[in-house]
Amino acid sequence: MAFLASCGNKADGFSSNVSSNESADISTSQVSVTTKTDDVAKNEINIELSNDELVLSKNGKIIETLPTYINLADEQFNLSKVLQVLFFDYTADDITDIAVLGESIHGEYVLLYNGMLLENESGIKEDTFGYFGNLSKAQLNEMGCDITEDGIKRALLGDNTECIYNSYRELYTQLARAYHISNSEYMYDLIYADEDEIPELVINKLGYYVYLFTYENSKARCLMDKWGYGAMGNHGYSYFPGTGIYYNNNADYAGAIYTESYMSKHENGEIQTDYWVQTNYFQDIDEDGMPSYEELNTTFGDVGKIEYHCVFDENMSEDDIKKIVDNYNKQELVELGGKYEYETIMLQLQ
C-alpha cells in the first residue's frame, strides 16, 4: 500500500482529528488514504497511541509502529496524547509524510515521520516511515506559525502549500527547509556531478552521514539516503564532476584490505556500484581472502593481490575493468559533503 502525496485541505482525506481517553493510554482515529495502485480505492487506516508508540493498522493488522519520543539536551520523553494526524508531502518526493500533533509533559509538540518505499524480501516495494524530527510549540511560534494544521503546514512548506515545484531551486528550497527543521546542524552544497545543467543537492551531517538529492520529474529523487561514513574504515564519498560517477574508499583490517567503489545513477533508486577494486596490503599466504594474525605480523604493508570487479557483467575481463577505472582516476576527484550553512544555501537557491 503506497500513500499518495497530498498537500491539500481536509477534503483530500489526509488529515484526522484523533481522540483520546482520559488516561491517554490509547487514542484512536480512522484515517482514509488513497493508494497509488488504485486511485479510487480507499483504505481505512487505524491509528493508536499505545505504550508510547504510534501504531498504524489496517484490517486488524499492524502495518507500522512509530516511536513518539522527543529528545531534549538532558531528557527524553514521549507524547502522552495525540491530538491530530496530518498526511502531506513535506520531503517533496511524492510519497506522503506524517505530522503528528500531540501533548507531552513539556507541552505540545509536532512529531515528523518521512514516508519511504522500501523493498521487502520478495522485492515488492512497501510503505514505511522513518523518524524525521520534531517541532515544539515555541519553535513554531518563533517561525511565525501557530500550532494548528495551517500553521504546521506553513512551517514545513512555506508558501508552497500546493507542493508544486517548477524548478530545482523551488524543490531544493523545500528540501533544505524540511531538513533544517529535522536537524539544524546539517550543512549543504550544490554540486554538478553529472553532465546536465541541474545540480545535485548535498545535505550532510559532517563526519557522520550524507544525503544526496537530484531534481527529477518535478520531484526529489534521493541518490544517497543517510549514507554513513567516518567509522569502520569508511572515509566518505567523492565524485568526478560532470561524469555522473561517484567514488568511495573503505579500509578494513586497519588498512590491510582497501576497497574502492565506483558508482553511478541507475534507472531507479539510489546510486549503485558498477565497479570495485580490492587491494590487499598483505600477503595472503593461506589464500583465504582475509589477513590472519601471522600474515599481518609478517607481511603488513606489502602489496599483494589486486582484484577488479564489475557488478553488472561478471564476464568482463579485469583488464577491461582496469582501463575503465584508470580512466576515471585520471579525472578530478572532489569530496562530496556540505560546505554551507542553511542560511547561505537558501540565498544561493533564490
Side-chain angles (χ1 to χ4, degrees):
M1 180 186 63
F3 297 133
L4 274 178
S6 173
C7 288
N9 56 28
K10 290 184 180 180
D12 294 318
F14 283 87
S15 68
S16 171
N17 289 323
V18 180
S19 61
S20 176
N21 61 16
E22 292 302 320
S23 66
D25 289 331
I26 297 177
S27 60
T28 306
S29 175
Q30 297 292 329
V31 180
S32 180
V33 296
T34 306
T35 67
K36 278 184 178 294
T37 54
D38 185 351
D39 290 349
V40 179
K42 296 287 183 178
N43 292 278
E44 295 299 319
I45 305 300
N46 188 65
I47 297 177
E48 295 181 348
L49 179 64
S50 179
N51 297 323
D52 297 329
E53 293 181 323
L54 194 68
V55 181
L56 282 68
S57 60
K58 178 192 173 192
N59 298 328
K61 180 181 178 180
I62 294 176
I63 59 175
E64 194 71 55
T65 301
L66 304 172
T68 65
Y69 62 82
I70 300 151
N71 279 320
L72 297 183
D74 57 354
E75 185 180 3
Q76 176 177 299
F77 54 95
N78 294 78
L79 293 186
S80 57
K81 182 179 181 181
V82 172
L83 303 174
Q84 193 171 30
V85 180
L86 307 176
F87 291 83
F88 60 102
D89 178 22
Y90 47 79
T91 54
D93 56 4
D94 203 30
I95 302 173
T96 298
D97 308 308
I98 302 178
V100 178
L101 171 60
E103 292 181 355
S104 74
I105 59 173
H106 291 292
E108 293 178 322
Y109 272 82
V110 178
L111 269 62
L112 307 173
Y113 308 89
N114 62 314
M116 299 172 284
L117 289 176
L118 298 180
E119 287 189 0
N120 61 20
E121 295 179 352
S122 302
I124 300 173
K125 290 187 175 181
E126 295 182 332
D127 285 289
T128 187
F129 295 91
Y131 184 81
F132 190 71
N134 65 75
L135 282 168
S136 67
K137 182 177 181 179
Q139 287 173 308
L140 282 165
N141 290 340
E142 290 175 2
M143 300 167 68
C145 303
D146 53 19
I147 196 159
T148 63
E149 178 177 345
D150 290 341
I152 293 167
K153 287 187 174 181
R154 190 165 67 253
L156 288 164
L157 298 172
D159 295 329
N160 191 1
T161 56
E162 297 299 318
C163 301
I164 298 173
Y165 307 102
N166 295 312
S167 69
Y168 78 82
R169 293 181 183 276
E170 293 179 2
L171 182 89
Y172 292 169
T173 294
Q174 173 56 31
L175 282 173
R177 175 188 294 112
Y179 277 81
H180 180 65
I181 288 173
S182 172
N183 190 326
S184 61
E185 296 180 355
Y186 284 149
M187 301 291 287
Y188 305 81
D189 196 12
L190 296 172
I191 66 171
Y192 288 88
D194 53 32
E195 66 280 359
D196 64 32
E197 297 180 355
I198 299 175
E200 290 72 36
L201 175 67
V202 179
I203 302 178
N204 184 201
K205 184 173 181 181
L206 296 177
Y208 291 91
Y209 51 83
V210 62
Y211 298 89
L212 181 66
F213 296 93
T214 190
Y215 177 77
E216 192 171 280
N217 300 321
S218 298
K219 66 180 182 180
R221 175 177 170 184
C222 187
L223 300 178
M224 293 182 178
D225 187 2
K226 203 175 184 179
W227 284 25
Y229 69 97
M232 306 298 293
N234 187 338
H235 297 127
Y237 308 95
S238 304
Y239 65 102
F240 299 95
T243 67
I245 304 300
Y246 301 87
Y247 172 84
N248 170 254
N249 58 64
N250 188 81
D252 291 318
Y253 298 98
I257 296 180
Y258 190 75
T259 305
E260 298 172 279
S261 300
Y262 299 83
M263 303 166 283
S264 68
K265 181 174 67 174
H266 290 217
E267 183 176 355
N268 297 302
E270 300 180 38
I271 62 174
Q272 300 176 35
T273 298
D274 299 314
Y275 309 99
W276 58 280
V277 180
Q278 178 178 309
T279 302
N280 291 344
Y281 287 97
F282 71 100
Q283 297 297 324
D284 190 11
I285 298 170
D286 56 14
E287 299 184 347
D288 66 350
M290 296 181 294
S292 67
Y293 175 81
E294 290 184 0
E295 289 167 344
L296 287 177
N297 191 45
T298 58
T299 69
F300 181 76
D302 295 346
V303 177
K305 187 177 182 180
I306 302 177
E307 302 175 359
Y308 294 85
H309 300 267
C310 176
V311 174
F312 56 84
D313 184 359
E314 62 182 15
N315 295 318
M316 183 178 286
S317 70
E318 290 201 56
D319 285 343
D320 287 341
I321 299 171
K322 184 177 185 303
K323 290 178 183 178
I324 293 172
V325 169
D326 287 347
N327 184 56
Y328 291 154
N329 291 336
K330 292 176 183 177
Q331 303 176 64
E332 178 188 14
L333 184 64
V334 179
E335 182 180 355
L336 192 155
K339 295 180 180 178
Y340 305 105
E341 295 183 347
Y342 172 70
E343 291 77 13
T344 302
I345 200 68
M346 292 296 272
L347 289 173
Q348 293 180 8
L349 290 169
Q350 288 182 359

